[in-house]
Amino acid sequence: MTLAKAILPLTASLLLLGLFAAPAIADPPEVVVSIKPVHSLVAAIMQGVGTPDLIVDGAASPHTYALKPSNARALESAKVVFWVGPGMEAFLEKPLSALGSNALVAELDKAPGIAKLKFRQGGAFEADNDGDEPVADVGDSHDHGAFDTHLWLDPHNAKAMAAEITTTLVAADPVNALTYEANQKALDDKLDALDTEIASTIAPVKNKPFIVFHDAYQYFERRYGVHVAGSITVSPESIPGAQRVAEIHGKVADLGATCVFAEPQFEPKLVNVVIEGTSAKSGVLDPEAATLPQGPDLYFNLMRGIANSLKTCLS
C-alpha cells in the first residue's frame, strides 16, 4: 500500500470526526407574545430565525381574555415573553410571576422612547385650551392604570417597541443578533413608509368628528390629527349606563352627519342605539386586530385598516 492510499482513509476519518464534533447552531429561544399587534412586530424581527407563539389569538380580546392551559404550558417553557404590561393584559400579571419566572420578560410599555397618553374622562371629549387637542384626564375610574395602553397605534411607538424587542432577543439569543438587528432596520424603514402613507390616506377627512366604541385611539389621533369626539365606553368590559349613551347620542346629534364606529369583538347594538334618529353612519374599527390573521404583516394591515375605515365612513 502506498503512503497516499494509507493517508486517504485516515483523512476521511478525521474529517468525519470533526463534522460530528463541530458545535451545532443553537436553536432559537421559545418566545411567547401576548397580543396580535405586538406579536406582529416580534414575528417581523424573528424572521429567518423562528416564529413566536401567540397567547390572545383569533378574535379574542385582551380586555376579557382568560388564560388557557395551553397558554400556561407555553409560558412554562418560554425563554422570552413580550407583553404591553398589566394595564393591557391584566390576566397575565399573576401567571407571569408564577409561570414565567425562568423567562426574560419584556414589558413594552416601559420601552425607552415610548410616548404615553393619559386616559380621558367622560363620554364626550372636550377640547383643551388650544381647541384642537382632547383633554387627557388620569382621574377616570377604570382598571387600566394611569395611561392608555393602546401604544402601538402610533408607528413611532411601534418603532420604540421594536427596538426593545430587538434588544431583548439579542440578550436571549446572541447567536442570531445580526439577523435580529437587520430585521429591525428593515422594519423601521417599513414603519416610516407606513406613517407617510397613513397621513396621506387620512388627510382629506382628518377634521371630521366621529365617535368610537371605546377610547382606544388616542395615539392614532395625536399622530394623524383626526378628531374623535367621544367614546361610548371607557373600557369595553364595562357596559355604559343609560346616561352615558344618552350623552353620546346628543353629541352625535349636535355634530350633525358623522360616524360612530363599533369594534368586531363587542356587541354592536349600542352603536345602533347611539345613531338612532340621527344622520350618522356606522362603521367598524379594529384596534387590536381581532379579524386579522397573525404574522409579520398584521401590524401594517391593522393600521391601514383603521385609516381606510375612517376615510370610507367619513368621506
Side-chain angles (χ1 to χ4, degrees):
M1 180 183 293
T2 64
L3 181 60
K5 288 181 178 180
I7 288 174
L8 283 173
L10 179 61
T11 303
S13 297
L14 289 172
L15 288 172
L16 192 60
L17 181 62
L19 179 64
F20 282 106
I25 296 175
D27 290 332
E30 293 291 327
V31 178
V32 176
V33 188
S34 59
I35 59 174
K36 282 182 171 181
V38 175
H39 179 270
S40 180
L41 300 176
V42 176
I45 294 169
M46 290 187 68
Q47 285 187 110
V49 177
T51 302
D53 290 327
L54 174 65
I55 293 179
V56 184
D57 58 2
S61 168
H63 300 290
T64 56
Y65 195 77
L67 204 68
K68 301 174 184 177
S70 59
N71 302 146
R73 289 192 294 270
L75 287 174
E76 284 179 334
S77 61
K79 298 302 180 187
V80 184
V81 179
F82 293 104
W83 68 322
V84 176
M88 173 55 66
E89 309 98 325
F91 71 92
L92 264 182
E93 191 169 10
K94 289 183 179 179
L96 276 180
S97 61
L99 299 175
S101 57
N102 295 322
L104 186 59
V105 178
E107 187 176 321
L108 295 176
D109 63 13
K110 296 180 178 178
I114 284 280
K116 297 179 183 179
L117 298 173
K118 292 181 288 185
F119 270 100
R120 293 178 286 205
Q121 187 173 23
F125 306 141
E126 302 300 333
D128 66 9
N129 293 333
D130 295 326
D132 60 358
E133 293 283 0
V135 171
D137 191 330
V138 73
D140 203 358
S141 57
H142 48 69
D143 296 325
H144 286 261
F147 63 93
D148 184 346
T149 53
H150 298 82
L151 302 162
W152 60 87
L153 292 180
D154 180 343
H156 285 205
N157 275 350
K159 288 177 70 173
M161 295 167 89
E164 183 68 8
I165 290 165
T166 302
T167 298
T168 304
L169 288 172
V170 167
D173 182 25
V175 171
N176 291 301
L178 292 179
T179 301
Y180 295 138
E181 289 165 354
N183 286 344
Q184 186 208 338
K185 174 61 170 63
L187 178 59
D188 281 353
D189 291 343
K190 288 181 67 178
L191 289 169
D192 287 338
L194 176 72
D195 188 26
T196 301
E197 175 190 334
I198 291 177
S200 176
T201 300
I202 288 295
V205 297
K206 63 186 295 184
N207 294 320
K208 296 186 177 182
F210 58 96
I211 304 291
V212 295
F213 180 74
H214 88 287
D215 190 16
Y217 304 91
Q218 285 196 80
Y219 296 97
F220 194 95
E221 293 171 54
R222 297 295 181 97
R223 184 68 196 148
Y224 300 110
V226 295
H227 182 190
V228 176
S231 69
I232 296 174
T233 180
V234 173
S235 302
E237 64 268 31
S238 302
I239 299 174
Q243 181 178 349
R244 187 183 185 104
V245 172
E247 179 187 5
I248 295 299
H249 185 277
K251 187 77 171 179
V252 171
D254 291 343
L255 290 170
T258 185
C259 289
V260 180
F261 289 95
E263 292 179 18
Q265 310 102 308
F266 304 108
E267 179 57 59
K269 289 182 180 178
L270 283 172
V271 172
N272 295 331
V273 171
V274 166
I275 66 174
E276 185 178 359
T278 75
S279 57
K281 296 182 290 182
S282 64
V284 177
L285 297 177
D286 190 7
E288 292 155 10
T291 60
L292 299 176
Q294 67 187 61
D297 293 330
L298 175 143
Y299 180 81
F300 297 88
N301 295 332
L302 161 67
M303 296 293 287
R304 289 188 180 110
I306 292 173
N308 289 331
S309 291
L310 289 173
K311 182 178 180 180
T312 299
C313 193
L314 294 171
S315 293

